Amino acid sequence: MRTYRVERPEIVLKDEPVPEPGPGEILVRVHAAALNKRDLLILDGTYPLPARPGVIPLSDGAGEVVAAGPGVTRFGVGDRVMGSYWPRWHDGRLRPELIDQPGCTLDGMLTEYALLGEQAAVAVPEHLSWAEAATLPCAALTAWVALTGGRKLLPGATVVTLGTGGVSLFVVRLARLLGCRVIVTTSRMDHADRLKALGADHVIDYTATPDWGRQVRELTGGQGADLVVDTAGPATVDQSVRAAALYGEVAVLITRDATSDRLEITNEAYASSLATLRRVFVGNRAELESLCAAVAAHELRPVIDRTFTDPHAAYRHYREGSPFGKVVIELAPA
């Protein structure tokens, strides 16, 4: 089989034997895999969790079960599945002994055939294509947990999300499913119409309005947002707190960037608020199953920027092309 392995600073194509599933494992013919920002960080050697040398990259992928090892009961040959971002974290809270990730400490999905533990797999919603299904395990689940993992958002609540990355586009779509009002900040106002077509009620140009927290308050009649999904961290967390309602929440996804390794909130911002900061790091298998149930019930389709058959071209486009939506790699065994 064709498989790719990380040999920094590149991914390298290898010709390897198709693995055999052991007890509790399923062999998945991978049809599509999707890129996330963490995959660039792993390739660059800047991801907080050290990657295993020579690991197969990418956490996100979907495919068809072609064989099952002894004792497997959750899936059978022909089932459509995706892998979980945290294969050992099935439910409840994340614990230190569960911190393994495909494409980092475990082999990932950029391969024609992948071995998954049956407990690490989730059924693909029937209406989704392979490419669409491959986008869910990281960005979509992060958005879902940001929206559903804290205080319950009632219909009519206001959600703010930052930028037009994969997580933010899923926040827009999923928040609308929950009946929320959605405000998006971006520096690309040429994306405003596309964001509104996805469900955004308002789009704020944060370069023209650096004090965008104030504009969020104006758009909400002075109340502020019930939830701010902060996708940038050091550069934005102060404004996120300013944008949040008195008892709002800020879901923090990023805690460092190229210029800072700390989150700083001014006394003026936090002293005037009782908002809660909540750290989000994707989610567990049960939460992925909940997301898939919502996606299936509403027949939601992820936004895909482009699909590639050449993984190197996909990586280049993801790094340099300012994609609007997910970048997907299609894999087809010979």
Side-chain angles (χ1 to χ4, degrees), residues 204-272:
I204 299 173
D205 182 348
Y206 67 78
T207 55
T209 311
D211 188 16
W212 51 264
R214 185 184 302 275
Q215 189 167 349
V216 169
R217 289 194 167 277
E218 291 173 357
L219 291 170
T220 56
Q223 296 299 307
D226 299 280
L227 173 68
V228 181
V229 182
D230 189 310
T231 61
T236 54
V237 69
D238 191 78
Q239 283 297 314
S240 292
V241 171
R242 292 172 185 269
L246 182 61
Y247 283 95
E249 285 191 335
V250 179
V252 179
L253 310 187
I254 303 294
T255 57
R256 63 181 294 183
D257 61 18
T259 62
S260 177
D261 62 356
R262 66 188 64 189
L263 300 179
E264 295 185 351
I265 303 169
T266 62
N267 178 68
E268 179 189 1
Y270 209 59
S272 63

Side-chain angles (χ1 to χ4, degrees), residues 34-38 59-61 82-83 85 122 125 128 131-149 161 165-175 177-178 229 231 253 280-296 300-304 318 325-327:
L35 281 158
N36 294 286
K37 184 177 180 180
R38 52 87 80 172
S59 60
D60 290 13
M82 67 184 76
Y85 188 90
V122 170
L128 295 182
E132 291 167 336
T135 70
L136 297 183
C138 180
L141 182 56
T142 300
W144 181 249
V145 172
L147 290 165
T148 65
T161 191
V167 172
S168 286
L169 295 186
F170 277 115
V171 168
V172 175
R173 304 296 302 281
L174 295 168
L177 294 188
L178 298 172
V229 182
T231 61
L253 310 187
V280 174
F281 200 164
V282 196
N284 58 46
R285 192 198 75 198
E287 289 165 327
L288 180 57
E289 290 170 331
S290 175
L291 163 67
C292 287
V295 167
L300 182 145
R301 292 193 178 276
V303 180
I304 294 178
Y318 187 72
K326 297 295 291 181
V327 175

